[in-house]
Amino acid sequence: MLLMPQFLLKDIFELTDEFLSAHQIKGVIFDIDNTLVGFRDPKPTPEILALLEHLKEKDIKLAIASNNSKARVGLFAADLGLPAYHRSMKPLGHVLRRICRDFGLPAKNVILVGDQIYTDMLGGNLAGMQTALVDPIDLKETVFFRLKRRLEMPVIEKRRRKEQQK
Ligand SMILES: [Mg+2]
């Protein structure tokens, strides 16, 4: 199913060394908005910089593919030292496939990490990559997200109780 993320992650910090090696992931393509930072945050946080630096040290290839403007992506990625594509036309695959070629990696060893089904997940899946959906950053604090979480809680609790009965 082309819309289905292969992995559901809370945030990008779940991209641990163990996770990447368990799934033979040698390259990561990040969306920016609501994946790395919120819509209104112009620059990466120190925590994100530290994670990217760590991944680089582990020889994981990194790139950024955003459908946002040159100005947004240029400012965000200015000091990162990573290939960064604006107006990347996700879910169309040409930019994603080009990044895999530049990585020198088959698409199956690359994961696309994003917050949207119809651009990020569809694009990554169409390109034959692995895909991970993260919780959108800006929505975390909204009433809607809290309400949704509250509706999910009884289900989560029920699941927990089942586990305990085993
Ligand atoms: Mg996004």
Side-chain angles (χ1 to χ4, degrees), residues 31-35 39 90 114-116 119-120:
D31 170 54
I32 296 179
D33 293 310
N34 268 333
T35 298
F39 266 114
K90 292 174 286 185
D115 68 297
Q116 292 198 50
T119 53
D120 302 315

Side-chain angles (χ1 to χ4, degrees), residues 148-163:
K148 184 163 161 276
R149 252 300 114 87
R150 199 185 284 174
L151 292 173
E152 287 165 351
M153 276 320 283
V155 180
I156 295 168
E157 286 301 325
K158 198 171 166 186
R159 179 91 183 81
R160 278 202 195 119
R161 279 199 299 276
K162 239 183 206 167
E163 287 288 315

Side-chain angles (χ1 to χ4, degrees), residues 75-95:
L75 177 63
F76 181 85
D79 309 317
L80 288 181
L82 298 180
Y85 295 85
H86 61 274
R87 301 263 185 253
S88 67
M89 313 254 305
K90 292 174 286 185
L92 299 183
H94 56 282
V95 169

